[in-house]
Amino acid sequence: MTQPLLSVRDLVVSYDGGLPAVSNYRVDLLPGTLTVILGRNGAGKTSTLRGITGFLAHEAGTARGTISVRGEVVRRPGPLRLSKLGVGLVAERDKVFVNMTVQDQLRLVTSRRPDVEEIFEFFPRLRERRAVRAGLLSGGERQMLATALVLLRKPSVLLVDELSLGLAPGVVRELMGHLRRLADERGLTILAADQAVHASLHVADEVQVMDSGSLVASGPLDSLDIDAVLDAYLGRHER
Ligand SMILES: Nc1ncnc2c1ncn2[C@@H]1O[C@H](COP(=O)(O)OP(=O)(O)OP(=O)(O)O)[C@@H](O)[C@H]1O
């Protein structure tokens, strides 16, 4: 059986010592696959990705659980440790410097021209817009830049939070298509949390549905009665 690249068991995330925002979350990410976490506002998607990567200190949040990378339990997981093990996070609300050009931001992360060239090959739109300040990019282009800045660090696992936030359906489909290509062409292993149900299901290998901090469904797309699960937990109107 193929070994998961990243496994999570019994993840619990709480804020300010309150009731858990995430309870007993688990996942196995197989190499080169794309898993999506779906759930309505406040379901616990962002907290799950923060809990895995340890980006909780600024949120007065705590996480416990077991995270393994390539079969090895990660001792004292946290942002730096996970990053060194090749786990990258594209955080919700794009983290780009609005006054810097696309090209300058990419060069902040790497001085290797071939790496920047590779990014431009993958995102031709960023090449076209390379001399433009990030503040003038469209929402979709900003998300491409935010993703590119993480990709330059050459992760093998990419966690992506709400790529579709505030974007038009056509742009969301394009961005989801990029995630699919990153898995297929680059062999990246991806866990993406999103509310864009249709676009996510179109590209996913595995699907997880969260409600009130708990998983209510999880498995390969073709093994789930996805319509029933989504009707029950997202409501037909949100699909
Ligand atoms: N920094 C924080 N401090 C306190 N509570 C928080 C914090 N961030 C999230 N929460 C709470 O944790 C729960 C899960 O929120 P979370 O943002 O993880 O959900 P989500 O599924 O990502 O929602 P959305 O799609 O709206 O981003 C919610 O009840 C939320 O109010």
Side-chain angles (χ1 to χ4, degrees), residues 36-216:
V36 296
I37 309 176
L38 302 173
R40 59 173 89 215
N41 283 115
K45 305 180 297 296
T46 296
S47 302
T48 298
L49 298 187
R50 281 186 193 146
I52 297 171
T53 49
F55 278 103
L56 280 162
H58 294 297
E59 314 285 339
T62 52
R64 58 188 161 81
T66 307
I67 295 165
S68 307
V69 175
R70 297 178 191 85
E72 298 266 327
V73 172
V74 182
R75 305 276 167 217
R76 286 196 291 277
L80 267 180
R81 185 88 190 93
L82 269 288
S83 173
K84 279 188 182 145
L85 290 168
V87 181
L89 173 69
V90 182
E92 191 177 21
R93 286 181 291 276
D94 43 2
K95 302 280 189 290
V96 298
F97 296 109
V98 289
N99 285 321
M100 281 182 86
T101 66
V102 167
Q103 193 161 257
D104 286 350
Q105 288 190 61
L106 295 173
R107 285 187 187 152
L108 265 189
V109 183
T110 182
S111 55
R112 294 194 71 244
R113 274 176 190 277
D115 287 356
V116 174
E117 197 46 42
E118 208 180 324
I119 288 293
F120 285 153
E121 264 163 44
F122 193 82
F123 295 112
R125 201 98 69 79
L126 290 185
R127 186 201 300 279
E128 286 165 27
R129 309 281 275 157
R130 64 186 178 281
V132 172
R133 282 185 288 132
L136 299 176
L137 296 176
S138 71
E141 289 164 350
R142 276 200 205 195
Q143 293 291 50
M144 286 177 204
L145 177 58
T147 307
L149 291 169
V150 177
L151 287 176
L152 279 176
R153 289 183 223 125
K154 315 243 173 188
S156 39
V157 181
L158 196 63
L159 308 186
V160 189
D161 196 7
E162 208 78 53
L163 204 57
S164 71
L165 198 70
L167 299 174
V171 180
V172 175
R173 276 196 298 276
E174 184 187 353
L175 290 171
M176 289 295 172
H178 286 314
L179 292 187
R180 184 68 258 171
R181 280 181 52 220
L182 284 170
D184 290 344
E185 296 171 17
R186 306 268 183 111
L188 251 86
T189 303
I190 302 173
L191 178 62
D194 220 290
Q195 286 195 50
V197 176
H198 282 298
S200 299
L201 292 179
H202 194 65
V203 296
D205 297 305
E206 304 256 341
V207 180
Q208 299 194 305
V209 181
M210 287 190 94
D211 188 47
S212 305
S214 297
L215 282 176
V216 291

Side-chain angles (χ1 to χ4, degrees), residues 10-23:
D10 306 318
L11 180 72
V12 177
V13 179
S14 314
Y15 296 98
D16 287 321
L19 286 176
V22 176
S23 300

